[in-house]
Amino acid sequence: MKKLDFSDVLIEPGISLKPLTRGMVNITPNDYVPIIIANMVTTGTFDAAEIASKRKFITFLSKEYSIEEYVFNLIGIDKEYVGVTTGVRKKDVNKTLEILQTYPDMGYVNIDIANVGANIDGMINAISNIRKKYKGKIVAGNVATVKMAEILESAGADIIKIGIGSGAACLTRTEVGVGVPQLSAIMDIRAAVKIPIISDGGCVTAGDVCKAIAAGANYVMLGGMFASCKEFSEDGDYVDFFGLGSEKMYNNYVPTDKEYRPVEGRTLKVPVKNTMDSVMNQLEGALRSVCTYVGVDNINDLHDKATFIEVNHQVNRSLEQYE
Ligand code: 5GP
């Protein structure tokens, strides 16, 4: 069956039962903005968590920090909006359990491996070992099919992270030929599982974030959309934004299976043109606005009320050369 991506659809304008302004829309009915800054080395930083958590945006920290870095840098940040990221290897899980001993109130533990299908037992064991010691939300991923999502749900994950091959710095689709169009992955998995889901990867614009939530995502994870923010730049002009499977990543951190891996991620230099606040403003505004177009006063109702239309021409780009 044909599967769809964000660029294949638009959200249909609906009718509101009562007058509705953007200011009347509640985008934090669960006490967080349902947007997560990705646990990539560039974006999943303590600085990002500090800035984002003040606005109730969530950050999943990079897995590459040491225990000491986690323990020291988390002092003073509000932990409700922050996730620790871990792999499934024993040493990763033990490191995470040590961090949780100091900070049992971390909002999320993000168990993140690129290909859950290749290590289902590892993922199931990691979920159960963390569950024994941790009462917060356990995120497991990434998957992109209903079958894999159901396995993670039965394994006891609280939240499933969805997305294979859709990331801005990802090369899996071109170099390995594997992936699932993100919009259909969200819709199919939403219909099959009861627990919350995160749409991870593939959002290029705030409109895509709205589409992900309208399609049924409870949270949306973003890397590339934050890649042009000055907070992630070392020299103030460019941001080094590189995929978790990029050559830069392989050179700086030791992956498993190093000699057999292809490069599955890009290494990019992105010119600085935003701040985290400007990106967060645009995202919040978009979430408010989409609710007024669809006719709901609460972001939790967007999925039930929104309808999509399939299109073959999404945006008018005729004057972009003058920007
Ligand atoms: P973005 O918002 O940039 O489109 O997507 C962010 C997501 O891309 C990350 O959260 C992660 O799941 C995925 N990703 C990051 N780096 C890589 C990579 O090198 N290879 C692949 N396959 N996915 C990546």
Side-chain angles (χ1 to χ4, degrees):
M1 200 189 72
K2 189 175 164 192
K3 301 282 178 185
L4 300 171
D5 226 320
F6 298 126
S7 57
D8 296 315
V9 299
L10 289 168
I11 299 166
E12 254 183 333
I15 295 173
S16 171
L17 296 177
K18 54 177 191 202
L20 191 57
T21 64
R22 293 178 187 84
M24 290 159 68
V25 172
N26 185 358
I27 59 166
T28 54
N30 309 314
D31 205 35
Y32 52 75
V33 180
I35 292 177
I36 305 172
I37 298 173
N39 52 279
M40 296 170 71
V41 171
T42 308
T43 53
T45 66
F46 296 103
D47 285 348
E50 191 167 353
I51 295 166
S53 62
K54 288 191 182 127
R55 295 180 60 156
K56 302 190 175 184
F57 279 64
I58 301 159
T59 307
F60 284 180
L61 295 163
S62 164
K63 146 179 178 292
E64 306 303 335
Y65 292 118
S66 65
I67 296 179
E68 294 72 26
E69 285 172 313
Y70 262 102
V71 168
F72 177 77
N73 288 291
L74 280 168
I75 301 168
I77 300 178
D78 179 358
K79 276 71 176 182
E80 191 184 340
Y81 304 107
V82 185
V84 182
T85 300
T86 179
V88 299
R89 286 180 298 174
K90 207 168 177 176
K91 85 179 211 308
D92 293 327
V93 172
N94 286 343
K95 177 177 120 183
T96 301
L97 293 175
E98 267 195 58
I99 296 164
L100 291 171
Q101 266 185 358
T102 313
Y103 296 114
D105 53 346
M106 291 298 302
Y108 303 82
V109 170
N110 170 35
I111 312 176
D112 183 40
I113 57 176
N115 180 5
V116 177
N119 193 359
I120 293 176
D121 286 350
M123 178 55 87
I124 292 173
N125 288 336
I127 293 173
S128 81
N129 287 332
I130 291 167
R131 172 63 73 219
K132 283 181 206 146
K133 303 270 170 62
Y134 173 66
K135 295 195 174 55
K137 298 183 206 101
I138 298 179
V139 176
N142 277 20
V143 298
T145 62
V146 165
K147 190 166 188 181
M148 289 302 309
E150 285 172 345
I151 290 173
L152 296 185
E153 184 177 39
S154 342
D158 297 304
I159 302 175
I160 299 168
K161 190 147 68 73
I162 298 169
I164 298 204
S166 51
C170 167
L171 287 175
T172 299
R173 289 188 184 171
T174 48
E175 298 310 309
V176 191
V178 170
V180 179
Q182 190 68 6
L183 185 91
S184 287
I186 301 167
M187 287 176 148
D188 293 350
I189 293 173
R190 172 71 291 144
V193 302
K194 295 195 175 56
I195 58 178
I197 58 178
I198 300 171
S199 171
D200 174 21
C203 286
V204 179
T205 61
D208 293 340
V209 175
C210 297
K211 290 175 190 176
I213 294 177
N218 302 83
Y219 304 79
V220 182
M221 178 174 263
L222 302 175
M225 280 188 66
F226 280 98
S228 60
C229 295
K230 80 167 178 9
E231 288 83 352
F232 302 120
S233 171
E234 270 167 32
D235 64 8
D237 294 325
Y238 289 91
V239 175
D240 285 319
F241 184 65
F242 49 97
L244 296 165
S246 64
E247 214 153 1
K248 178 156 183 176
M249 192 74 195
Y250 295 163
N251 293 338
N252 291 358
Y253 306 94
V254 184
T256 51
D257 253 3
K258 190 172 182 176
E259 65 274 42
Y260 302 112
R261 279 176 180 255
V263 171
E264 284 185 49
R266 293 178 212 275
T267 301
L268 302 163
K269 270 199 171 309
V270 181
V272 167
K273 70 170 199 228
N274 284 308
T275 61
M276 283 182 65
D277 271 324
S278 67
V279 174
M280 289 190 284
N281 287 345
Q282 184 69 5
L283 288 165
E284 284 188 347
L287 294 180
R288 289 180 184 283
S289 203
V290 71
C291 287
T292 65
Y293 273 109
V294 170
V296 293
D297 64 4
N298 178 329
I299 201 173
N300 283 351
D301 295 339
L302 190 61
H303 169 56
D304 282 344
K305 186 94 188 288
T307 50
F308 286 103
I309 42 174
E310 218 181 312
V311 294
N312 57 20
H313 184 78
Q314 217 206 148
V315 187
N316 178 348
R317 301 198 181 282
S318 55
L319 296 183
E320 272 178 18
Q321 59 196 307
Y322 303 117
E323 254 168 5

